[in-house]
Amino acid sequence: MLPSKRSAGADGGQPKRPKVGESPPAAAASNGTRNGAPPAIDEDLHSRQLAVYGRETMRRLFASDVLVSGLNGLGAEIAKNLALAGVRSVTVHDVKDVDMWDLSGNFFLSEQDIGKNRALACISKLQELNNAVLVSALTEELTKEHLSKFQAVIFTDISLDKAYEFDDYCHSHQPPISFIKAEVCGLFGSVFCDFGPEFTVLDVDGEDPHTGIIASISNDSPAMVSCVDDERLEFQDGDLVVFSEVQGMEKLNDGKPRKVKNARPFSFSIEEDTGSYGVYTKGGIVTKVKEPKVLRFKSLRDAMKDPGDFLLSDFSKFERSPVIHLAFQALDNFRKEHGRYPTAGCEQDAQSFLKFVADINEASIDSKQEKIDEKLLRHFASGSRAVLNPMAAMFGGIVGQEVVKACSGKFHPLYQFFYFDSVESLPTYQLDPQDLKPSNSRYDAQISVFGSKLQKKLQDANIFIVGSGALGCEFLKNLALMGVSCSSKSKLTITDDDVIEKSNLSRQFLFRDWNIGQAKSTVAAAAARAINPSLQIDALQNRACPDTENVFHDTFWDGLDVVINALDNVNARMYMDMRCLYFQKPLLESGTLGAKCNTQIVIPHLTENYGASRDPPEKQAPMCTVHSFPHNIDHCLTWARSEFEGLLEKIPNEVNSFLSNPTQYAAAMRKAGDAQARELLERVSECLGKERCITFEDCITWARLRYAQMFCLPLLYYFLYEIYY
C-alpha cells in the first residue's frame, strides 16, 4: 500500500466531472472505435485486465453488447461488473418500480428512488462507472426481437416459462446469443448458462502454456528430446508441442504441432524421423499447444429435464444441488399460482411450497430424489423473496465472469447449472416468525432471513477495515447495505495510506475519475455513506504497522468486534494477524490474483490464524546459475532484480551507513573480516571514489557507462565468439 502521489488527471489538470445523466462523449461511447477500426484499449485504465485477459480477449470484450434484465440487487452487481470490465454497451431492462426491499441489495438506489422504474433509477450512476461504455435503459416488456441486438443476455427476475421462450430463441439464433439465467433467493443462488449448440473455448484455463528449454535432440525415429533439468516438464502423452529457436535442426522451427509420447520429467519423444534434419547444435524452446475445446450446451428446456452433473462448490454438500434444483422450480410454480413469494415464517406457505417440490420430484423419472431435506426447503421458502447483498455480490461476480467467457472464449464456462447455499450463516437459535416480520425499513429483506435481533447486532457492531482498494470498496458497499455499524453507538473505521490512480478505476468502483489524486479511504468512506446515510464511518490515512500503534492503541483494539483485511501484501497481513491474535478479535482475510482468489475466516479459539500456515517457498534458481549461466526468463529476472537491488539499494545504504558513522562502520567491517565484508568495503570505496556522482550529469554518465559494461560489451563478445567459432 505504498502511495504513488498524484494530484492531477492524465491531462495535467483535474478531470472534468460529468453532470449526472449526461451522455458520454461520442468517441468514448463507442469505446474508441473509429471508421470500423478495432477499439483502442486504455492501458492506464485496464492494465490489470490486460495482464489477465490479454489484448485479443479485451478487443472481443470491447466489441460486445450485453443486456441485463432485472435490476434487483443481483442485476445491479452484474451491470456494475460489466461496466467496469469495459464491454461496448450495457442495456439494463426492468418493468418494476423501486420498493423498500430493493435498498437491501441494490447500491445504486436510495429512498428518494422509491416509486421510480428500477432501470431508470440506476442508469446515471451506472454510467459514471465507465464513460467509455454506452449505458441505456429499456422499460417496456421484452420481446425476442429485442434480444437479437446482443451478444449476451442475462436475466435475474424472470418466470421459467418466459426463460424457456427466450432461451429457445437465443439457442437457435445465428450466431447463438449467450443466455444466462441467475437468481438469488435469500441464502440460495443459482446460475444457468447456455452459450449455444457449439461454443468454442479458445483458452480453457487462461494460464501461460507450459514450456521447456531444450538441451539435446537425437537423430532418430522417433526422436528423443531432452530438456535442461532445473524444472520438470508439464507434458503428457498425446499433448501437442511446437519448437522454436532450435539451431542445427531448423526444420523443427516450422510451427507445426507435434505429438508428445513417452513423456518423462525431463524428456519426451516425438514421432518423427530427424535423421535428415542435420545435427542439433544448441538452443531451442518447446511449447505446449493449447487446443480449443468445443462445448455443446443444452437449451434450458432440455437441461431442466436432464441437468446432468452439477458444478460443486462444497463437497460436503454433495447431494444438495439436486434438491435446490427442485426448489427453484417449485418456487416458480408457487409464484405462478399465488402471484407472490412465500411469506417468511409462514407455515401455510411452507406446506404449499413443499407440496410443489414433491409433485415436481414425482414427475421426474430419471432424476427423482429418494430423500429430500425438508428443513433445507423450509429455509429456502422462508427467505426466497430476499435478495441479500452478500449473495448478490458473489453471484454478480460469477455471472460477470461468465459474460467475459461468453464474449471472449477465454476460460472454461459454467456447464450448465451451478447452485450454492449458505444456510450455515443462519443464527444457531430458533428463529421466531414474529422476528422475521418487515418493519418498513431498508433492512426488511435481511430481517426476513436472519431476524431483527441479529440485525440489531449488526447495526451496533464496531468494525475495522484495513485497506480500501478493490476488496475494500466491495466490503464497504456490502457493510453499508447490510446496515453494519449504522447505529449511534457503533463505528466503522477504515484506513489506507494510498491515493487514487487511474488504473484503480477499472475495479475500485467507489472511485471516479475526478477523485484521482485523493486519499482512497476518504473517498471510499464518503461513497459508502452515500449508499447508506446511517453508516457511522471514520476514514484514516494511517498504515497499520508498529509505527502507528499510538493511533491504533490498546483501547481502540479492545472496542472492536470484527477486523477485515483488504491488503495487498503478506507482511501487512502477518502484522494484522498478530494483532488480532493478541487481542482475540475475529479476522476476515481475503486476497485476489487475476481471476483467482482466496478467503480465510479466523475465529479465536475455533480456527487457525492466518500466520499458522505458510505457502511453500517459491522455487529459486541457484545464484551461481543466475550469474554464470542464466538460460531462462526466470534466471534473467532474478539476475536483473539482484543487480538493481545491489546498485540502487544495498550499496547506497552501505555508503550512507559509512558516512553517518565512519568509525563504527569500519569497526564492524573489521569484526566481520570475511570476503563479503571486503567486497562491501570495495564497493563503498568505488562509490565515494571514481564512481562518485556530484551532479545530475555525473549520474547520467555513470548510468551510460554501466549500461555499456552490462549489455554492450557482453554482446560484442558474443558476436566475436560466433564469428570465430
Side-chain angles (χ1 to χ4, degrees), residues 363-624:
S364 304
I365 300 172
D366 297 330
S367 57
K368 182 179 178 181
Q369 300 299 304
E370 297 299 326
K371 184 180 179 182
I372 293 180
D373 188 341
E374 188 173 303
K375 183 179 179 182
L376 181 76
L377 293 172
R378 286 177 177 274
H379 286 316
F380 182 99
S382 182
S384 58
R385 183 187 171 191
V387 180
L388 301 178
N389 172 254
M391 292 289 292
M394 172 187 163
F395 275 87
I398 292 173
V399 174
Q401 191 67 21
E402 292 309 302
V403 174
V404 172
K405 297 173 186 178
C407 296
S408 69
K410 188 157 190 172
F411 301 109
H412 197 293
L414 289 178
Y415 189 81
Q416 292 188 261
F417 282 104
F418 171 68
Y419 292 109
F420 176 85
D421 74 271
S422 184
V423 291
E424 56 272 16
S425 300
L426 288 168
T428 54
Y429 52 84
Q430 184 69 34
L431 288 170
D432 183 354
Q434 295 297 319
D435 198 35
L436 303 176
K437 287 188 174 181
S439 58
N440 196 34
S441 79
R442 64 179 298 148
Y443 313 119
D444 279 350
Q446 200 159 272
I447 290 171
S448 72
V449 176
F450 298 107
S452 57
K453 292 179 183 176
L454 182 58
Q455 184 63 42
K456 180 70 167 57
K457 288 184 178 180
L458 292 175
Q459 290 177 245
D460 292 341
N462 292 305
I463 309 294
F464 184 29
I465 300 180
V466 187
S468 57
L471 286 174
C473 286
E474 289 289 336
F475 295 154
L476 266 183
K477 175 257 298 176
N478 295 347
L479 296 178
L481 288 172
M482 292 167 64
V484 176
S485 302
C486 287
S487 73
S488 58
K489 57 182 180 181
S490 64
K491 186 165 72 171
L492 190 159
T493 304
I494 183 165
T495 188
D496 195 321
D497 66 345
D498 208 350
V499 294
I500 299 166
E501 298 180 346
K502 186 177 180 180
S503 63
N504 301 148
L505 304 182
S506 64
R507 60 196 186 283
Q508 299 172 22
F509 77 100
L510 294 182
F511 308 143
R512 305 291 180 264
D513 54 2
W514 57 83
N515 297 132
I516 291 174
Q518 299 174 15
K520 283 186 176 182
S521 59
T522 304
V523 175
R529 198 179 292 112
I531 293 172
N532 187 345
S534 299
L535 182 65
Q536 306 296 310
I537 188 167
D538 187 16
L540 304 175
Q541 288 82 50
N542 302 99
R543 182 179 302 196
C545 63
D547 294 339
T548 57
E549 289 181 5
N550 62 320
V551 178
F552 308 115
H553 41 66
D554 290 4
T555 304
F556 171 83
W557 277 91
D558 288 337
L560 295 177
D561 294 306
V562 177
V563 178
I564 302 174
N565 274 354
L567 295 161
D568 60 0
N569 66 89
V570 173
N571 290 337
R573 288 185 170 102
M574 293 297 293
Y575 173 77
M576 289 302 299
D577 177 66
M578 178 187 69
R579 298 294 281 174
C580 289
L581 196 63
Y582 180 81
F583 288 100
Q584 299 291 288
K585 299 299 179 182
L587 171 66
L588 308 184
E589 164 60 40
S590 56
T592 63
L593 180 64
K596 302 172 185 176
C597 65
N598 72 283
T599 185
Q600 181 179 356
I601 312 301
V602 180
I603 308 295
H605 310 295
L606 185 63
T607 66
E608 72 172 10
N609 63 301
Y610 174 80
S613 60
R614 300 286 186 92
D615 292 334
E618 295 183 7
K619 183 179 178 182
Q620 294 183 347
M623 291 310 294
C624 57

Side-chain angles (χ1 to χ4, degrees), residues 170-178 194-202 293-299 406 409 413 415-416:
C170 293
H171 192 83
S172 59
H173 190 272
Q174 291 299 325
I177 301 167
S178 297
D194 174 13
F195 295 169
E198 285 192 2
F199 178 78
T200 302
V201 184
L202 303 174
K293 181 178 181 180
V294 177
L295 296 176
R296 291 173 174 81
F297 287 85
K298 291 184 283 189
S299 68
Y415 189 81
Q416 292 188 261

Side-chain angles (χ1 to χ4, degrees), residues 50-103:
L50 275 170
V52 177
Y53 295 149
R55 289 184 179 277
E56 190 57 39
T57 297
M58 291 290 288
R59 289 193 183 99
R60 293 194 194 102
L61 194 62
F62 283 8
S64 300
D65 302 306
V66 184
L67 169 73
V68 180
S69 176
L71 264 289
N72 54 19
L74 175 57
E77 291 285 345
I78 296 169
K80 173 205 70 176
N81 293 334
L82 295 176
L84 293 174
V87 296
R88 179 165 59 191
S89 73
V90 176
T91 300
V92 291
H93 164 261
D94 212 315
V95 296
K96 294 183 179 180
D97 293 335
V98 179
D99 62 22
M100 189 66 78
W101 279 57
D102 289 316
L103 304 187

Side-chain angles (χ1 to χ4, degrees), residues 210-454:
H210 298 301
T211 62
I213 298 172
I214 298 170
S216 66
I217 305 175
S218 66
N219 290 102
D220 293 318
S221 179
M224 171 71 74
V225 180
S226 299
C227 295
V228 295
D229 60 0
D230 64 339
E231 191 168 343
R232 295 171 66 93
L233 295 173
E234 299 288 340
F235 301 152
Q236 297 179 356
D237 288 2
D239 287 348
L240 296 177
V241 296
V242 293
F243 292 85
S244 60
E245 302 179 30
V246 176
Q247 297 186 33
M249 291 185 175
E250 281 77 6
K251 286 187 179 181
L252 290 176
N253 298 330
D254 56 6
K256 171 186 170 184
R258 292 169 168 85
K259 187 173 289 188
V260 170
K261 61 180 293 187
N262 301 326
R264 296 176 181 174
F266 305 104
S267 65
F268 61 92
S269 300
I270 54 173
E271 291 184 347
E272 192 158 347
D273 185 357
T274 58
S276 61
Y277 286 8
V279 179
Y280 171 82
T281 55
K282 64 178 180 179
I285 296 173
V286 58
T287 304
K288 180 180 176 180
V289 176
K290 302 189 80 168
E291 298 181 86
K293 181 178 181 180
V294 177
L295 296 176
R296 291 173 174 81
F297 287 85
K298 291 184 283 189
S299 68
L300 176 61
R301 195 183 300 273
D302 294 335
M304 194 63 75
K305 300 173 186 175
D306 180 19
D309 295 329
F310 298 101
L311 177 65
L312 294 177
S313 62
D314 187 342
F315 288 96
S316 68
K317 301 177 179 179
F318 187 78
E319 298 179 350
R320 191 163 289 183
S321 291
V323 178
I324 303 176
H325 184 67
L326 292 173
F328 274 100
Q329 295 177 72
L331 179 64
D332 184 75
N333 287 348
F334 185 100
R335 293 181 64 190
K336 192 185 303 181
E337 180 168 309
H338 297 280
R340 60 176 176 83
Y341 286 93
T343 302
C346 178
E347 178 61 25
Q348 184 178 349
D349 283 358
Q351 290 295 337
S352 177
F353 178 80
L354 289 171
K355 187 178 184 308
F356 280 121
V357 173
D359 292 344
I360 295 170
N361 190 41
E362 285 298 322
S364 304
I365 300 172
D366 297 330
S367 57
K368 182 179 178 181
Q369 300 299 304
E370 297 299 326
K371 184 180 179 182
I372 293 180
D373 188 341
E374 188 173 303
K375 183 179 179 182
L376 181 76
L377 293 172
R378 286 177 177 274
H379 286 316
F380 182 99
S382 182
S384 58
R385 183 187 171 191
V387 180
L388 301 178
N389 172 254
M391 292 289 292
M394 172 187 163
F395 275 87
I398 292 173
V399 174
Q401 191 67 21
E402 292 309 302
V403 174
V404 172
K405 297 173 186 178
C407 296
S408 69
K410 188 157 190 172
F411 301 109
H412 197 293
L414 289 178
Y415 189 81
Q416 292 188 261
F417 282 104
F418 171 68
Y419 292 109
F420 176 85
D421 74 271
S422 184
V423 291
E424 56 272 16
S425 300
L426 288 168
T428 54
Y429 52 84
Q430 184 69 34
L431 288 170
D432 183 354
Q434 295 297 319
D435 198 35
L436 303 176
K437 287 188 174 181
S439 58
N440 196 34
S441 79
R442 64 179 298 148
Y443 313 119
D444 279 350
Q446 200 159 272
I447 290 171
S448 72
V449 176
F450 298 107
S452 57
K453 292 179 183 176
L454 182 58

